[in-house]
Amino acid sequence: MRGARPNKLFDYMAAGLPIVVNMDGEARSIVEDAHAGVYIPAEDALALANAIRELSDAADRRRTMGEAGFTHVSQAHSRETTARVLADVLESIAFAEPTDCRDIDAR
């Protein structure tokens, strides 16, 4: 995955909070895929105000989004899951044949 990830996004989701995201790309995809909040275009103050107003009037919707975000982070982005993915990557590199390493695209 590429793109900007706000470092607090997963913290807010883990806290069970609904998200209003204005970053298109990966952050938006994470929030929308998790059904954890709403996207508004960057620098659109009216859309931001409307999103906040709509969510402030919808306690059930906020709770549903918060629960969905918590569940998503717990299942897909827990420290255990992230550590397992990292360990798998490191093992694949450590046990790769030397010729395999030449095919790795260094970025």
Side-chain angles (χ1 to χ4, degrees), residues 61-104:
R61 186 172 179 212
R62 288 193 316 270
R63 185 176 54 255
T64 299
M65 288 177 173
E67 290 170 357
F70 175 82
T71 299
H72 179 78
V73 168
S74 298
Q75 293 175 354
H77 299 284
S78 69
R79 286 191 171 126
E80 293 81 12
T81 300
T82 303
R84 192 172 326 118
V85 169
L86 177 60
D88 290 346
V89 168
L90 294 175
E91 284 180 13
S92 71
I93 293 170
F95 297 112
E97 293 293 323
T99 56
D100 293 343
C101 293
R102 283 183 258 149
D103 294 332
I104 296 174

Side-chain angles (χ1 to χ4, degrees), residues 3-103:
R5 275 188 177 174
N7 64 343
K8 295 295 181 186
L9 178 63
F10 292 133
D11 292 343
Y12 300 142
M13 291 171 72
L17 299 172
I19 308 296
V20 177
V21 64
N22 70 347
M23 294 178 64
D24 205 358
E26 188 174 10
R28 177 183 181 178
S29 294
I30 291 167
V31 170
E32 288 181 343
D33 291 348
H35 305 287
V38 296
Y39 167 76
I40 55 123
E43 300 183 23
D44 188 338
L46 182 59
L48 176 61
N50 287 335
I52 292 170
R53 186 177 305 113
E54 288 173 17
L55 287 174
S56 71
D57 293 335
D60 288 341
R61 186 172 179 212
R62 288 193 316 270
R63 185 176 54 255
T64 299
M65 288 177 173
E67 290 170 357
F70 175 82
T71 299
H72 179 78
V73 168
S74 298
Q75 293 175 354
H77 299 284
S78 69
R79 286 191 171 126
E80 293 81 12
T81 300
T82 303
R84 192 172 326 118
V85 169
L86 177 60
D88 290 346
V89 168
L90 294 175
E91 284 180 13
S92 71
I93 293 170
F95 297 112
E97 293 293 323
T99 56
D100 293 343
C101 293
R102 283 183 258 149
D103 294 332

